Amino acid sequence: IDPELRLLLGLLPSRVRAVLEARPDIEQLVEVVMDLGRPPSARFPHGDVDLCPEPMTAQDLDTAVRQVGHFDGDNRAGIDSTLHRISAIRNRGGRVVGLTCRVGRAVPGAAALVRDLVLAGRSVLLLGRPGVGKTTALREVCRIAADEAARRVVVVDTSNEIGGDGDVPHPSIGGARRMQVSRPEAQHAVMVEAVENHMPQVVVIDEISTLAECGAARTIAQRGVQLVATAHGRQLDNVIKNPTLADLVGGIQSVTLGDEEAKRRGVQKSILERAAPPTFDVAVEMEERGRWRVHLDVAAAVDSLLAGGEAAGQVRLLDDSGEV
């Protein structure tokens, strides 16, 4: 078993750990869920697995909590010098009554499908459902940009998910520098600070989710800095319809056409149009591991979707040998 994975397994009660260690697919483990008064379960790519019939006790959870770092305002913690993420559920009194222990891995080649775009200096927005590998891909993007392209890379790491827990970044991000964020709501300020104070050529961010962060991303892009980030949403269409995130792809505005123009276009007089140039050059829909849909021209894709058309994009696949 991988040494870093053993550190995560060390948080678990011995009866739970023994079941996991006996599984042949232990290296594919995604996360372990432990809720007070319920049997623990493990999540694998092929589905959920019950680990043992005995319910978790308050002592089980307290023992695990004592072994991890400090929980931040977003109820996330980590294990020093690893990429694992421990997320807590609390009761009304603030006591931890549930833990989600997600396995963090450094996967060489995780960003192979967009390696050419990163090396070309394109700003890339990664989209996809939770667990599809967005953060894992970001780590590899950091390494490619810092080590292979020899660029100055700064990671804005809100929950220490990209660079791991502790003050020394995990080796998986190569020579990229890492700025930790004290509070999740301060992420947008640290994004701007990174550009103003440290002269990066590339800024990497995990989970852009607020209007302030969208504004900071636009500021960074306008200064000519390459931006690689993730955002909530499985497809480009989800971002367009999200009022908070729409600014990442140019923002949406309602426009009223004259009678002649509406007739010429064959549309209603009131239509939706893109309001400004997109913050990102490229949008990537991570449909599943090894299959990504890449929109090489975000502006054209958004315009097509708003006009009622489709944005087919370019489907990129990894074969069994890891080639694109």
Side-chain angles (χ1 to χ4, degrees):
I1 300 176
D2 179 76
E4 287 194 13
L5 180 55
R6 283 196 179 279
L7 292 175
L8 181 72
L9 297 178
L11 302 179
L12 311 178
S14 57
R15 65 184 188 279
V16 178
R17 184 167 61 248
V19 174
L20 279 172
E21 288 177 343
R23 291 185 62 91
D25 57 356
I26 178 66
E27 293 294 342
Q28 298 179 39
L29 178 66
V30 175
E31 61 188 18
V32 177
V33 175
M34 301 188 293
D35 289 329
L36 181 64
R38 293 181 174 180
S41 63
R43 291 176 180 160
F44 290 88
H46 53 75
D48 293 4
V49 175
D50 293 330
L51 296 177
C52 67
E54 293 87 4
M56 300 300 296
T57 65
Q59 183 179 357
D60 292 332
L61 295 177
D62 291 343
T63 301
V65 168
R66 284 196 297 269
Q67 296 182 68
V68 302
H70 173 70
F71 283 94
D72 294 324
D74 55 0
N75 276 314
R76 293 177 176 179
I79 302 172
D80 197 23
S81 301
T82 76
L83 301 170
H84 307 314
R85 185 184 79 193
I86 317 299
S87 302
I89 297 176
R90 299 179 184 271
N91 63 13
R92 294 175 64 185
R95 182 171 183 176
V96 174
V97 294
L99 290 173
T100 302
C101 307
R102 171 164 285 198
V103 180
R105 293 185 177 89
V107 182
L113 293 175
V114 292
R115 182 175 178 275
D116 59 323
L117 302 175
V118 174
L119 292 176
R122 308 285 299 275
S123 288
V124 181
L125 177 65
L126 300 175
L127 306 170
R129 59 177 172 77
V132 79
K134 296 189 296 296
T135 305
T136 303
L138 278 187
R139 295 187 193 108
E140 184 68 358
V141 166
C142 294
R143 188 197 63 77
I144 292 170
D147 294 358
E148 295 185 26
R151 298 191 184 120
R152 297 187 301 274
V153 181
V154 171
V155 181
V156 178
D157 205 0
T158 301
S159 299
N160 285 355
E161 275 199 83
I162 302 176
D165 215 43
D167 292 335
V168 179
H170 194 274
S172 61
I173 67 171
R177 304 179 74 189
R178 190 260 297 269
M179 294 182 68
Q180 299 186 49
V181 182
S182 58
R183 296 171 293 110
E185 56 270 24
Q187 176 168 289
H188 69 281
V190 179
M191 290 166 63
V192 176
E193 180 188 336
V195 176
E196 293 179 342
N197 291 355
H198 303 291
M199 294 181 61
Q201 295 169 302
V202 185
V203 173
V204 178
I205 308 148
D206 198 10
E207 292 188 16
I208 293 179
S209 58
T210 68
L211 283 172
E213 290 161 12
C214 291
R218 180 169 291 278
T219 298
I220 291 170
Q222 288 173 343
R223 296 188 183 197
V225 176
Q226 182 183 1
L227 194 59
V228 183
T230 67
H232 298 293
R234 299 182 64 166
Q235 299 175 324
L236 187 58
D237 193 42
N238 301 144
V239 178
I240 294 173
K241 294 177 180 177
N242 186 324
T244 303
L245 300 179
D247 186 57
L248 296 176
V249 294
I252 312 303
Q253 64 182 2
S254 179
V255 177
T256 301
L257 303 176
D259 292 338
E260 290 186 8
E261 180 65 14
K263 186 176 181 180
R264 186 184 68 81
R265 296 192 188 186
V267 297
Q268 296 179 341
K269 293 184 65 175
S270 181
I271 63 170
L272 295 176
E273 286 189 348
R274 180 168 48 85
T279 300
F280 293 88
D281 306 319
V282 179
V284 178
E285 299 170 357
M286 300 172 65
E287 298 176 346
E288 58 185 67
R289 294 182 186 272
R291 178 189 170 90
W292 297 1
R293 188 177 299 274
V294 180
H295 300 282
L296 295 171
D297 187 342
V298 171
V302 170
D303 292 345
S304 176
L305 288 169
L306 291 177
E310 295 184 354
Q314 181 186 83
V315 177
R316 297 187 175 189
L317 304 169
L318 276 182
D319 60 22
D320 294 337
S321 63
E323 296 295 321
V324 180

